[in-house]
Amino acid sequence: MAGIALLLDLWRKNHINLSTSGLHSSPTFHSSSFFSASAAATAASFAAGTTFYSRAFFGSPVAHCDAGAALSEDFVSTTQSAPWRINSYDALRYSTKQYNVELKPLFSAFELRSFTMTSIRSLLMFYLPLLEPRAEMEDDDDFLEDNGERQVDLVVPFKKSVKQIIRETSVVTTRRILERIAVHYVSQRMAWKLLKDVPRSATRKAGRKLPTLVYSFSVSRTTFRGHMLGVAASWLVQVGIELYRFFNSIFKSKDEDNDNDVDKTKQVGLLGQKVFIASVRCSSSLIFASIGAGIGATIVRPSLGQWIGCAAGDLAGPIIVAFCADQVFKVNL
């Protein structure tokens, strides 16, 4: 309304000036131009005082300039923080995975619990067979007569038990050394896979609701990687023992007479055969342990089934391979 009143006031003053001057031709041109200029100014002032919707109705080309007046501080702060939120989301989405490698103590085999379990297992392994002949002797009618003549030797099983304890602790310690070598000389991702807790990994895979075959294959592959360092440590210990026996026999043969000289070529061939047998046994143990872990995790609970299947495959693998080699290739493993 204020714009219309201003427009009418200007038109009235212009009309009064034209009537008093008495000029009709040329002032008409000036009055029309002045009227056009004043009308444009009035329209601009009118457009400046109107709202966004009225400007859109009148077709104002600067209607969008009014959008900044309705912006609040919250909207401005949100707009300014939008790039940071987008970058942080992308950083969380596309960030590299962190592989946390947890190394066990180097001499963990000599901890109280581990060493006690190893000792009990080794003693039972060599002392339990001694109970079988004694049970047969108790059923015999002539047990009292034979008891004084036949005595059980308890020293030999004890020596074998001590050797078994040394062997198992050496395998565990060698594995801890291989773990540290893997951490320093391979990638962090590969080291994490080699040192992964396989039963816990099987439990996590079970929560993904994978198909049965895919889940079994995934657990078998994880067990193969996680069991690799243990089998490699066992192979190194076995080969080390065979090398010790080989060089010990060589040194003993030098101290004795020439008549008792040992053929070195034959000893080298025997050493190669033992190393080959150890390699076949360890490889079969690793393969069958992986297969058994996948089957056990599918049939039983993931963590318990993986552990049972891995232990069963580790034990049965060399036996199955030795039986097949004996029946097919006539080779005694």
Side-chain angles (χ1 to χ4, degrees):
M1 296 298 292
I4 297 174
L6 180 60
L7 180 63
L8 293 175
D9 187 29
L10 291 174
W11 179 79
R12 184 172 54 84
K13 290 180 180 181
N14 188 23
H15 181 71
I16 294 172
N17 293 329
L18 289 174
S19 62
T20 55
S21 61
L23 298 175
H24 299 284
S25 59
S26 61
T28 304
F29 174 77
H30 293 289
S31 62
S32 61
S33 62
F34 179 76
F35 178 77
S36 299
S38 61
T42 305
S45 62
F46 174 74
T50 55
T51 60
F52 175 78
Y53 301 102
S54 62
R55 293 180 191 184
F57 178 76
F58 284 105
S60 176
V62 292
H64 294 284
C65 296
D66 196 23
L71 296 179
S72 61
E73 295 181 358
D74 296 335
F75 180 79
V76 175
S77 61
T78 305
T79 306
Q80 292 177 353
S81 62
W84 179 84
R85 288 188 288 106
I86 293 173
N87 293 332
S88 62
Y89 173 75
D90 291 339
L92 292 175
R93 184 179 179 183
Y94 300 106
S95 60
T96 58
K97 185 176 180 180
Q98 298 294 329
Y99 300 100
N100 297 323
V101 179
E102 297 180 359
L103 289 174
K104 295 182 179 180
L106 181 60
F107 298 102
S108 60
F110 298 97
E111 294 179 356
L112 180 60
R113 181 179 178 181
S114 301
F115 190 76
T116 302
M117 293 297 295
T118 302
S119 301
I120 293 174
R121 183 170 59 250
S122 300
L123 290 173
L124 292 176
M125 184 184 300
F126 293 101
Y127 275 101
L128 283 179
L130 297 179
L131 300 178
E132 296 179 359
R134 180 169 291 275
E136 295 176 357
M137 290 170 60
E138 289 178 355
D139 296 336
D140 194 1
D141 296 336
D142 299 333
F143 170 70
L144 296 177
E145 297 178 0
D146 298 339
N147 191 21
E149 299 177 359
R150 186 173 182 179
Q151 295 180 355
V152 179
D153 189 6
L154 301 178
V155 178
V156 176
F158 180 77
K159 291 182 179 180
K160 292 182 179 180
S161 301
V162 172
K163 292 180 180 179
Q164 182 65 23
I165 292 172
I166 296 174
R167 183 193 296 262
E168 292 190 12
T169 52
S170 300
V171 170
V172 176
T173 306
T174 306
R175 176 171 182 171
R176 299 293 176 256
I177 296 174
L178 292 178
E179 290 175 355
R180 282 156 174 79
I181 293 175
V183 169
H184 285 85
Y185 291 98
V186 301
S187 63
Q188 189 177 8
R189 181 171 178 267
M190 182 56 67
W192 175 71
K193 289 182 178 181
L194 293 176
L195 276 68
K196 184 186 295 186
D197 190 353
V198 183
R200 189 179 300 176
S201 177
T203 304
R204 289 196 301 267
K205 286 180 174 60
R208 300 174 187 172
K209 305 301 181 181
L210 299 174
T212 303
L213 294 178
V214 176
Y215 173 70
S216 178
F217 175 76
S218 180
V219 174
S220 299
R221 183 178 58 183
T222 305
T223 305
F224 184 87
R225 295 169 179 169
H227 199 55
M228 187 181 298
L229 292 181
V231 174
S234 178
W235 182 83
L236 288 175
V237 171
Q238 293 183 26
V239 172
I241 292 173
E242 297 300 333
L243 288 175
Y244 170 76
R245 292 175 179 174
F246 171 75
F247 287 109
N248 189 24
S249 62
I250 293 297
F251 291 148
K252 283 184 177 180
S253 63
K254 290 181 179 180
D255 296 337
E256 295 178 356
D257 298 335
N258 294 329
D259 296 337
N260 297 327
D261 191 9
V262 180
D263 189 4
K264 294 182 180 180
T265 305
K266 185 178 180 180
Q267 291 292 329
V268 171
L270 184 61
L271 175 63
Q273 182 180 358
K274 291 182 178 179
V275 171
F276 173 75
I277 293 174
S279 301
V280 172
R281 286 179 175 272
C282 291
S283 300
S284 61
S285 176
L286 179 60
I287 294 173
F288 279 88
S290 303
I291 297 174
I295 297 174
T298 305
I299 297 175
V300 198
R301 288 191 309 170
S303 59
L304 181 61
Q306 189 277 334
W307 182 80
I308 294 176
C310 182
D314 191 8
L315 180 63
I319 298 175
I320 295 174
V321 172
F323 177 78
C324 294
D326 187 21
Q327 295 295 325
V328 178
F329 301 103
K330 304 301 180 180
V331 177
N332 186 15
L333 296 179

